[in-house]
Amino acid sequence: MASASQQFNRKDTKFDASGQNRSLDIKIDDFDISFGEKQLIKGASIQLLSGRRYGFVGRNGLGKTTLLKLLSRGHLKIPSHISILHVEQEVVGDQMIALDSVLECDEERNRLLKEEKEINATLSSSPTKTDAGVSTRLSEIYQQLEAMEADKAPAKAAVILAGLGFTPKMQGQTTKEFSGGWRMRLALARALFTKPDLLLLDEPTNMLDMKAIIWLENYLQKWQTTMLVVSHDRMFLNAISTDILYLNNRLIETYRGNYDIFHKTREQRLINQQKEYEAQVQYREHLQVFIDRFRYNANRAASVQSKLKILEKLPPLIAVEKVSTVTFRFPECERLSPPILQLDEVGFYYSKDEVIFNSICVNADMESRICIVGENGAGKTTLLKILQGDLSPTSGICHTHRNLSIGYFSQHHVDQLEMDQTSLEMMAEKFPGNNSELYRNKLGQFGVSGDLVLRPVSSLSGGQKSRVAFAVLCMQNPNFLILDEPTNHLDMETIDALGHALLKFKGGVILVSHDERLIRMICKELWVVQGGTVRTLEGGFEEYKHIVEKELEMNC
């Protein structure tokens, strides 16, 4: 979305932006947000109470990210004394080391340290000419630094960086040495260190591995200022949220509790609304039957008129909105006899100075539902490439069944799509010789139907592009799926649809994912990539989470 096209309207604002009211609560009433000619939000109101952690949910493309941007840029009136920080851009790469990049966020500490340094330099150069005012000021600076525990700031910054996956060596590296993903982690570290009055996070788990997500969950549970988080990670929202904001039908509803409580409450509310709607329909029909029956009966004229007036005064009948469901369907596939896919004493390196794997022994079959976990950079994606044959082992053997057909979903799947073509045109080019009905059917199995198939791929949302990529993958009729971060652009309903489709798929599945709900839903086995090895955890995600939390406790 281009910010130049965003519009908003403030009709009624209760708080004074001059800062006269020093409360840290935020209330914005009756506001509209549009993108071009499309109205995203109309007549909505939000109230963010100080110290509460709000999960912000709703289908993709409804305006959640747009609202966060408008809040951070001051387009929606918020008291001026409330500090806001939106983690949306990666840290600029330069010569500053990572730890200093975090420490520089504390402007007051930096200002006092700079003034202390200047005064001490003056005292060193002219010790005999020092006046009482300078000494008094220096004493005040020391008191202020002690009060804010300035000496503990480096340790605090180091703990945050370590939790987000920065080793001691990485904390001493310059920011220009990091990739975009690590610079986004650095931006998150800076926000956590700064502790603004209102912290805005947009899909913070997308940039993190599972270990860092578990650390972040634990860290944010103790967060003391207000937080608003857009996330499609249901388990993450369950762990950190005290409240849920739900964007639907251009309005925002507030629910107390975490995501599961919100989901249960909303489901019950919809059931009650449907019952009320059906009762109203029945009541109207009852009135109409009486009116139609006695319309021309003179003895009943007064009663008919009375019923007509009742019918006229009833409020408009509004049906309960039916939320469209998302379905995924993977193709039927041939059953293969084991062994299907096996690594025997496999080693791999890009250079002999940096060995990635040593003596890996793992195997998968048609029943496999395996999730690969491990810290970023440990070799998860490299392992996937070895499994599917894109990389050859430098030692050991990779056994694959002669009839094995692997469907690979890359986390960079967008790079594989033709942006200037429609999804229908792209399917015809990649898989020529079939009629358009077949292509439409395959796209429709992943929720890409109607006019969507005729739109350029570049105009589709991230989630829609992912669905197109799944459809392309399934045109190859795979009997084994290898999925690398398949949930990054999907909303919760679509992630659930993916999970249910994977459960029904008759072939094997290996995936790399940081979505705890998806892992718990489908995976029977975890492969942990760490220290050049791959070990199997048959206890599943619960065992892995217990190991990670124990490690985090030891490192604290």
Side-chain angles (χ1 to χ4, degrees), residues 3 43 87 89 118 237 380 517:
S3 59
V87 182
Q89 294 180 331
E118 290 172 350
L237 289 178
K380 298 189 296 294
R517 176 170 165 78

Side-chain angles (χ1 to χ4, degrees), residues 133-199:
V134 172
S135 297
T136 301
R137 177 56 188 153
L138 186 60
S139 178
E140 291 173 351
I141 290 172
Y142 285 142
Q143 289 175 5
Q144 288 176 273
L145 288 171
E146 184 177 358
M148 66 170 60
E149 297 184 325
D151 58 322
K152 296 180 181 179
K156 174 187 168 187
V159 165
I160 293 172
L161 285 169
L164 295 175
F166 290 83
T167 64
K169 179 183 176 182
M170 293 170 70
Q171 292 181 30
Q173 291 178 296
T174 61
T175 57
K176 72 174 185 178
E177 296 178 66
F178 295 109
S179 66
W182 283 101
R183 289 184 197 169
M184 279 303 300
R185 289 195 189 205
L186 199 51
L188 178 57
R190 287 161 58 97
L192 297 178
F193 180 78
T194 304
K195 282 196 174 178
D197 298 324
L198 174 60
L199 176 62

